[in-house]
Amino acid sequence: DLVISNGGWYVLTGTLEDGKIIVDAHDSSKVWIRLNGVTVSCSDDACLRVDQADKVFLTLAEDTENSFTSGTVYSEEALADNTGGTIFSHDDLTINGSGSLSITAGFKHGIDVNDSLVITGGTITITAPQDGIHVSDSLRFMEASLTIDAGDDAVHSDDELYIESGTVLINSCYEGFEAVTIDIAGGDITM
């Protein structure tokens, strides 16, 4: 495992086989992670898990391809922490940049955030047996490209879903968007 325990800027490149990136910093820390051609597979947990921070920014570097792949059965430790995604965060998460990220979830959701999720860039492809994206707080989406194949909700928010711009393509799902409030101000959306 790769553990980030302090706030700051981190540039990652290369391959991590059957391991995970863990952010476990102070609850006031801001962590910037730049994916610069990263391939991560984890058989029994999230590929990226944010245990604690104030905010985490995941930047997809320009002209790079990045991928996260998780297994079908999570460890008892992960399940005890209610880990439910290939990307899992207890705190606010922002995804930006202009590169690409492919997320293949073997267990539950592609992206699972207990707080707010903001997506402001990048080309993101998600395949998941349950929800493509599952957030407990709000989800704000703009200037990005998102493609989802999901077994349940393509995008689920327990609060607000706001789409300002960008492209969303839902190839398959049980329900497309599910949220308390859905506000679509723009963008190109196909389900």
Side-chain angles (χ1 to χ4, degrees):
D1 295 342
L2 171 64
V3 180
I4 296 172
S5 56
N6 290 294
W9 297 82
Y10 299 86
V11 179
L12 305 184
T13 185
T15 302
L16 179 60
E17 293 183 10
D18 207 6
K20 54 191 172 290
I21 302 163
I22 301 170
V23 177
D24 192 5
H26 192 271
D27 61 8
S28 64
S29 296
K30 291 177 176 54
V31 179
W32 289 266
I33 300 172
R34 185 177 179 88
L35 298 183
N36 191 18
V38 171
T39 300
V40 178
S41 62
C42 188
S43 62
D44 63 354
D45 205 337
C47 293
L48 169 63
R49 62 176 300 123
V50 178
D51 287 334
Q52 183 172 274
D54 177 31
K55 294 181 184 298
V56 174
F57 301 86
L58 187 66
T59 300
L60 311 176
E62 184 178 3
D63 297 327
T64 64
E65 295 182 1
N66 306 278
S67 70
F68 290 160
T69 305
S70 65
T72 57
V73 179
Y74 277 17
S75 68
E76 289 183 12
E77 181 182 6
L79 294 176
D81 195 37
N82 292 318
T83 305
T86 302
I87 293 177
F88 175 70
S89 179
H90 282 290
D91 300 298
D92 289 342
L93 177 66
T94 297
I95 300 174
N96 58 26
S98 58
S100 69
L101 175 61
S102 173
I103 298 170
T104 304
F107 177 77
K108 290 186 82 170
H109 315 310
I111 301 174
D112 183 17
V113 178
N114 284 350
D115 217 323
S116 295
L117 173 63
V118 177
I119 299 175
T120 63
T123 300
I124 302 166
T125 304
I126 300 173
T127 303
Q130 291 187 25
D131 298 349
I133 297 175
H134 186 101
V135 297
S136 298
D137 208 329
S138 65
L139 168 59
R140 303 180 72 80
F141 180 89
M142 60 201 77
E143 302 297 326
S145 175
L146 178 64
T147 303
I148 295 178
D149 288 270
D152 195 5
D153 301 345
V155 178
H156 175 99
S157 169
D158 289 342
D159 188 12
E160 174 198 25
L161 169 59
Y162 174 74
I163 298 176
E164 180 178 293
S165 57
T167 303
V168 178
L169 172 60
I170 314 275
N171 285 321
S172 61
C173 64
Y174 183 71
E175 295 174 323
F177 296 153
E178 183 175 24
V180 175
T181 60
I182 298 173
D183 185 0
I184 299 173
D188 183 358
I189 300 169
T190 305
M191 290 190 197

